[in-house]
Amino acid sequence: MREDYLIHILGQQETDGEKDEICLSTVGSFALRGGHHYITYREYYDESNPSVYRTSILKVEGNRSATLLHSGSATRLILEEGKRHYCQYDTGYGMLTIGTYAQEIDNRLDDHGGTVHIRYTLDMNASYTSFHEITVTVKPTS
């Protein structure tokens, strides 16, 4: 994988009135294939051991859907604006079936980078669990 893009991910979640936020800045690749944008980056489990990671791929299809995949696992998180999906998510300890519902996908990616902002909810066993917002910014390294 050519790592010629800076990728910044800001994730926010709210569960039972408690808010949490994570930030990830890394390098990765960005490509336009078949009319869809692909953002690929590595997530490291232990920063002191860079050989232990998983590759994540975010496929963005216009302003209507985004799919998050993790290499080496069956994770496939489907986010489609205005639709609910049942998805498989690998926690590392086992698989979960979760429901997703995307309220908004604001895709401002172009041939050189940009941002995508997604607002969605998760549920388990048809019961609401949490609200999420994620903003992914992609910029060329040079």
Side-chain angles (χ1 to χ4, degrees):
M1 166 174 67
R2 287 183 53 189
E3 296 180 330
D4 50 359
Y5 282 84
L6 297 172
I7 299 169
H8 180 74
I9 301 167
L10 174 61
Q12 299 170 310
Q13 79 174 32
E14 184 175 334
T15 305
D16 296 328
E18 298 287 324
K19 294 183 180 184
D20 194 20
E21 182 174 288
I22 62 161
C23 288
L24 170 67
S25 293
T26 188
V27 292
S29 68
F30 176 70
L32 178 64
R33 291 191 307 263
H36 309 308
H37 291 98
Y38 290 83
I39 303 165
T40 306
Y41 57 95
R42 292 181 185 162
E43 291 183 57
Y44 294 92
Y45 294 109
D46 180 357
E47 290 184 24
S48 65
N49 186 356
S51 66
V52 182
Y53 65 88
R54 71 177 174 196
T55 301
S56 296
I57 302 167
L58 180 62
K59 176 185 176 185
V60 182
E61 302 177 51
N63 277 322
R64 60 185 183 119
S65 72
T67 304
L68 179 65
L69 308 163
H70 295 294
S71 66
S73 83
T75 293
R76 180 176 297 264
L77 193 65
I78 302 168
L79 300 164
E80 186 174 6
E81 192 170 295
K83 293 190 178 179
R84 188 166 184 272
H85 288 273
Y86 288 105
C87 305
Q88 295 294 310
Y89 192 83
D90 187 353
T91 65
Y93 298 101
M95 295 298 294
L96 290 176
T97 299
I98 57 175
T100 63
Y101 180 83
Q103 290 108 343
E104 175 187 20
I105 298 175
D106 183 15
N107 178 3
R108 295 175 188 246
L109 297 169
D110 61 26
D111 294 345
H112 308 288
T115 63
V116 61
H117 180 80
I118 305 168
R119 296 168 29 114
Y120 63 99
T121 60
L122 295 180
D123 64 78
M124 293 180 63
N125 298 325
S127 294
Y128 170 85
T129 56
S130 54
F131 172 77
H132 298 258
E133 285 190 68
I134 185 170
T135 302
V136 181
T137 305
V138 179
K139 296 178 185 177
T141 55
S142 56

